[in-house]
Amino acid sequence: MKLTAEQIQNNWNNLLSIMDKYISEPRCSELKSFYEKYAERIILMPASHKKEYHNAFPGGYVDHVLRVVDCALKLNNVWVEMGVDTSTYTIEELAFSALNHDLGKIGDSQNESYIPQTDQWRKDKLGEDYTFNSKLPFASVPDRGLFLLQQHGIKYTFNEMITIQTHDGLYDEGNKKYLMTFLPEQKPRTSLPFIIHQADLMAARIEFEKAWLPKLNSLDPPESKIETKKQPIKTKALGQIKSEGLKNIFDKL
């Protein structure tokens, strides 16, 4: 999938407009100032480094974030309809978490996270149009994202911290301490982490379907390999049955 220059610019404008709509002041201005500081990097970032993953193309990151926000708002309506306790989180917390769930992918103040792959073999054989920047010290995406926010003076709530931290759900082993506890007092006190995880999962799945299902569906189906060695087994079994009645029944199978 490829985005035009116009689509990339429109996506960026939509991202900023979501901040205006859902994030209150002064945090909205602080968040927009941060994003505009790294605008050139964020606008053209992919959402992942490999074609087999999701949105690994210029502008893919913002496109993914917009989809997660949209999915989160729609899924929230479903949760509300089904009786979720809406007193445990706010729509601003939902929008902030969705907007910044993958923020750690932008890198740090000096280094971007994804850089163009220069190894042609890896591009051709492994689908890696991008590679990880080795100049960037390692940190998980949620940890780096939360660090970037506090580094730039952007405050976040406890709900937002836990939600961003656990947005990958149980795909991340580190989230078990939050999501796999069986003690009521240790379970999340809000459903926000589950809503954002579902939104992220839905967005990534839709991106996969758009990019890969047309390709996969156009492939010729593999030839069916029919097992042909059943008759000798059946003949051997018939030879071991002494009852003529059972032989007749088994022979008709």
Side-chain angles (χ1 to χ4, degrees):
M1 181 176 176
K2 291 183 179 181
L3 298 177
T4 65
E6 183 179 7
Q7 288 173 318
I8 290 173
Q9 184 61 55
N10 287 339
N11 281 349
W12 176 250
N13 294 339
N14 289 338
L15 190 73
L16 297 179
S17 68
I18 288 172
M19 296 178 194
D20 288 329
K21 183 175 182 179
Y22 292 105
I23 310 301
S24 59
E25 293 293 354
R27 191 163 68 152
C28 178
S29 295
E30 294 167 350
L31 192 61
K32 288 177 69 176
S33 176
F34 166 77
Y35 272 75
E36 286 165 352
K37 178 180 179 181
Y38 298 101
E40 185 175 340
R41 186 191 302 182
I42 298 173
I43 288 173
L44 294 175
M45 272 177 55
S48 60
H49 77 290
K50 194 172 183 178
K51 291 177 181 177
E52 284 76 7
Y53 301 159
H54 63 101
N55 276 26
F57 51 80
Y61 174 81
V62 174
D63 182 76
H64 172 69
V65 170
L66 289 175
R67 191 168 288 104
V68 172
V69 173
D70 191 28
C71 289
L73 292 169
K74 288 180 169 64
L75 284 169
N76 183 63
N77 292 334
V78 176
W79 279 74
V80 169
E81 183 180 346
M82 297 307 297
V84 72
D85 186 349
T86 55
S87 70
T88 63
Y89 64 94
T90 67
I91 294 299
E92 178 171 348
E93 287 178 321
L94 181 143
F96 184 91
S97 300
L99 281 166
N100 298 293
H101 76 284
D102 268 347
L103 185 63
K105 289 183 177 180
I106 77 167
D108 61 19
S109 55
Q110 283 82 38
N111 304 289
E112 52 191 311
S113 182
Y114 299 126
I115 57 177
Q117 176 61 266
T118 57
D119 187 326
Q120 193 62 43
W121 185 90
R122 298 189 70 88
K123 291 182 68 173
D124 295 340
K125 303 300 183 182
L126 302 180
E128 294 180 2
D129 286 338
Y130 299 87
T131 188
F132 295 108
N133 189 350
S134 60
K135 294 180 180 179
L136 190 67
F138 173 77
S140 70
V141 170
D143 287 347
R144 193 186 305 282
L146 291 169
F147 175 78
L148 284 168
L149 290 170
Q150 65 85 24
Q151 184 185 40
H152 290 80
I154 301 168
K155 294 182 179 180
Y156 44 82
T157 67
F158 182 82
N159 276 352
E160 291 163 349
M161 178 189 73
I162 296 299
T163 300
I164 292 172
Q165 188 73 53
T166 63
H167 78 268
D168 280 326
L170 292 175
Y171 287 98
D172 185 339
E173 290 281 329
N175 293 334
K176 285 186 175 182
K177 59 184 176 290
Y178 292 108
L179 305 177
M180 278 193 70
T181 177
F182 300 100
L183 297 175
E185 62 271 21
Q186 291 182 356
K187 290 180 181 292
R189 305 294 174 94
T190 173
S191 291
L192 188 59
F194 304 100
I195 298 172
I196 297 300
H197 172 55
Q198 289 181 350
D200 188 31
L201 192 65
M202 179 183 289
R205 173 64 196 185
I206 291 168
E207 289 155 11
F208 162 78
E209 291 189 358
K210 287 184 175 181
W212 285 98
L213 284 190
K215 299 175 185 177
L216 296 175
N217 291 337
S218 66
L219 297 176
D220 293 331
E223 293 183 7
S224 177
K225 295 183 179 180
I226 302 173
E227 185 64 53
T228 59
K229 296 184 179 181
K230 292 183 179 180
Q231 190 59 35
I233 298 174
K234 182 177 177 181
T235 302
K236 183 178 180 181
L238 279 170
Q240 295 176 348
I241 298 174
K242 295 180 179 180
S243 169
E244 290 298 324
L246 288 176
K247 279 187 177 182
N248 290 336
I249 293 172
F250 192 74
D251 191 41
K252 292 177 181 179
L253 295 177

